[in-house]
């Protein structure tokens, strides 16, 4: 379905009508724009999930693997088949702690060999600061990341062009010492007048160091937590029922692939959805037609996806989960986001842009 510009200017937020048996329908207010369809609802179901058979929430573990999504009218979708199991015996605790500082600059570079000049400017500034740090006795940068946006820097080995004449140079640095980043901010500001021509103004002005709040989630046994509710200090006991724990992903098995001589971009055959949680991302792939499920299952292996995303680093771990109910696959990508959230120095720390890259994955 095609959504017009006029439609997206008046998007209606979804309305969910849940029945007592767990079946629900998704629609939206009348006379509003946007689209409620199999594709949009399926994409949202795969947003920021891991194990599709055991998606852990505080009060229930969800199994989405055999969900059915059916369009029953214009902008009305019925969802059935979700299964819930008792929650695990642990609480998830989300902790943060301060771990140094980071600062980021963005600067347009215009002209021939823009990406090469932008990279040279950024790294020359880094080297100059390293010399100053040495004399000051404050140590080197802990991490540096330079990306020339517009030169397909997020496409890794599959980039097709490097001769862009307009790029935005993204430089992000990390250091334990705030003073070090304040010095770097002064040096990068001078690059617009003292280095390669075409390096223009800093977007947003001179960079300012900000504290890094590193995220540390962990599980804690419920049996060790006493719960008090209200002024009467009513102490609850843990409900007695069998507990469930997230299971190890099943061993990958694949149907025999359909043979042919054609090749397609993945976007032509499937919808894609991505999300992020900490230093992990997920990539949901939903067949536009369920008849494609076996063919895509055979070709979209964990190994194939990891190879396509190899530029994310050698620590990348890819785990595949199947959702045959809607003809979909969910790939969990651990160690994909440079630390994730406010810790990460990469431009696409939420895996939004890199999801778009996967639309070019070639299926033969």
């Amino acid at each position: 379905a095609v959504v017009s510009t006029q439609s997206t200017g008046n998007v209606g937020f979804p309305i969910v009508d849940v029945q007592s048996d767990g079946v629900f329908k998704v629609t939206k207010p009348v006379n509003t724009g946007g689209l409620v369809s199999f594709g949009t609802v399926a994409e949202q179901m795969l947003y920021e999930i891991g194990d599709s058979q055991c998606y852990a929430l505080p009060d229930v573990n969800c199994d989405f693997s055999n969900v059915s999504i059916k369009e029953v009218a214009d902008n009305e979708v019925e969802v059935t088949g979700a299964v819930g199991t008792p929650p695990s015996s642990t609480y998830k605790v989300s902790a943060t702690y301060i771990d140094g500082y980071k600062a980021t600059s963005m600067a347009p570079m215009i002209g021939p060999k823009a990406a090469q000049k932008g990279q040279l400017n950024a790294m020359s500034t880094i080297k100059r600061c390293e010399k100053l740090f040495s004399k000051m006795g404050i140590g080197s940068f802990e991490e540096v990341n330079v990306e020339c946006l517009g030169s397909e820097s997020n496409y890794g080995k599959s980039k097709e062009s490097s001769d862009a004449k307009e790029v935005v140079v993204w430089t992000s640095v990390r250091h334990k010492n705030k003073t070090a980043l304040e010095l770097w901010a002064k040096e990068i500001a001078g690059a617009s007048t003292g280095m390669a021509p075409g390096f223009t103004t800093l977007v947003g002005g001179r960079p300012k160091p900000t504290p890094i709040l590193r995220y540390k989630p962990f599980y804690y046994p419920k049996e060790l937590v006493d719960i008090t509710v209200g002024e009467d200090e009513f102490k609850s006991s843990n409900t007695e029922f069998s507990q469930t724990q997230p299971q190890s992903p099943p061993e990958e098995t694949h149907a025999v692939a359909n043979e042919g001589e054609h090749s397609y971009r993945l976007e032509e055959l499937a919808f894609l959805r991505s999300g992020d949680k900490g230093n992990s991302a997920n990539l949901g792939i939903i067949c536009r037609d369920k008849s494609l499920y076996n063919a895509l299952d055979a070709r979209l292996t964990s190994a194939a996806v990891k190879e396509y995303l190899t530029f994310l680093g050698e620590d990348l771990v890819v785990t595949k989960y199947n959702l045959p109910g809607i003809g979909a696959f969910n790939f969990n990508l651990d160690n994909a986001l440079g630390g994730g959230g406010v810790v990460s120095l990469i431009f696409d720390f939420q895996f939004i842009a890199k999801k778009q890259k996967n639309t070019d994955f070639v299926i033969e």
Side-chain angles (χ1 to χ4, degrees), residues 172-345:
S172 195
V173 293
R174 182 161 63 91
H175 202 288
K176 289 290 187 184
N177 193 320
K178 184 178 179 181
T179 300
L181 298 189
E182 291 172 337
L183 175 58
W184 169 78
K186 295 177 182 178
E187 293 295 327
I188 197 72
S192 61
T193 56
M195 289 190 179
F199 193 74
T200 64
T201 183
L202 292 174
V203 178
R206 183 179 295 180
K208 295 179 174 60
T210 57
I212 292 176
L213 291 176
R214 192 173 289 277
Y215 175 58
K216 178 63 176 179
F218 61 92
Y219 294 107
Y220 193 77
K222 289 179 178 178
E223 62 185 19
L224 300 181
V225 179
D226 290 329
I227 302 175
T228 302
V229 180
E231 296 180 359
D232 295 332
E233 295 188 354
F234 169 77
K235 186 172 292 185
S236 68
S237 61
N238 288 311
T239 305
E240 295 294 332
F241 47 62
S242 59
Q243 305 285 352
T244 58
Q245 299 288 354
Q247 303 296 313
S248 299
E251 183 178 348
E252 282 194 41
T253 59
H254 310 288
V256 177
N258 299 332
E259 297 297 332
E261 298 180 355
H262 301 285
S263 62
Y264 302 88
R265 293 175 58 250
L266 183 55
E267 185 180 35
E268 298 177 277
L269 307 178
F271 305 102
L272 282 77
R273 185 66 159 109
S274 66
D276 71 290
K277 284 192 175 179
N279 195 28
S280 298
N282 84 292
L283 176 64
I285 300 174
I286 307 125
C287 298
R288 292 181 181 268
D289 190 302
K290 283 188 69 174
S291 65
L292 298 169
Y293 179 78
N294 286 345
L296 292 186
D297 186 29
R299 292 165 173 82
L300 293 171
T301 64
S302 293
V305 171
K306 183 175 181 178
E307 173 64 22
Y308 192 68
L309 297 175
T310 184
F311 65 93
L312 292 178
E314 59 183 21
D315 294 331
L316 177 67
V317 178
V318 179
T319 306
K320 178 182 177 181
Y321 299 97
N322 287 49
L323 296 90
I326 60 170
F329 318 97
N330 186 53
F331 293 89
N332 201 61
L333 313 173
D334 290 321
N335 306 319
L337 302 176
V342 296
V343 176
S344 180
L345 302 188

Side-chain angles (χ1 to χ4, degrees), residues 68-88:
S68 174
I69 299 176
K70 181 180 179 182
E71 295 181 4
V72 295
D74 287 344
N75 290 303
E76 185 175 339
V77 169
E78 183 180 68
V79 181
T80 61
V83 176
T85 57
S88 73

Side-chain angles (χ1 to χ4, degrees), residues 70-107:
K70 181 180 179 182
E71 295 181 4
V72 295
D74 287 344
N75 290 303
E76 185 175 339
V77 169
E78 183 180 68
V79 181
T80 61
V83 176
T85 57
S88 73
S89 59
T90 59
Y91 289 117
K92 177 184 177 182
V93 181
S94 296
T96 58
Y97 60 95
I98 294 178
D99 187 23
Y101 298 85
K102 77 172 188 178
T104 300
S105 73
M106 293 179 64

Side-chain angles (χ1 to χ4, degrees), residues 44-53 55 64 275-277 281-283 321 323 330-332:
Q44 192 59 27
M45 188 177 79
L46 295 187
Y47 176 57
E48 291 191 350
I49 69 169
D51 184 347
S52 53
Q53 295 184 15
Y55 179 58
F64 298 140
D276 71 290
K277 284 192 175 179
N282 84 292
L283 176 64
Y321 299 97
L323 296 90
N330 186 53
F331 293 89
N332 201 61

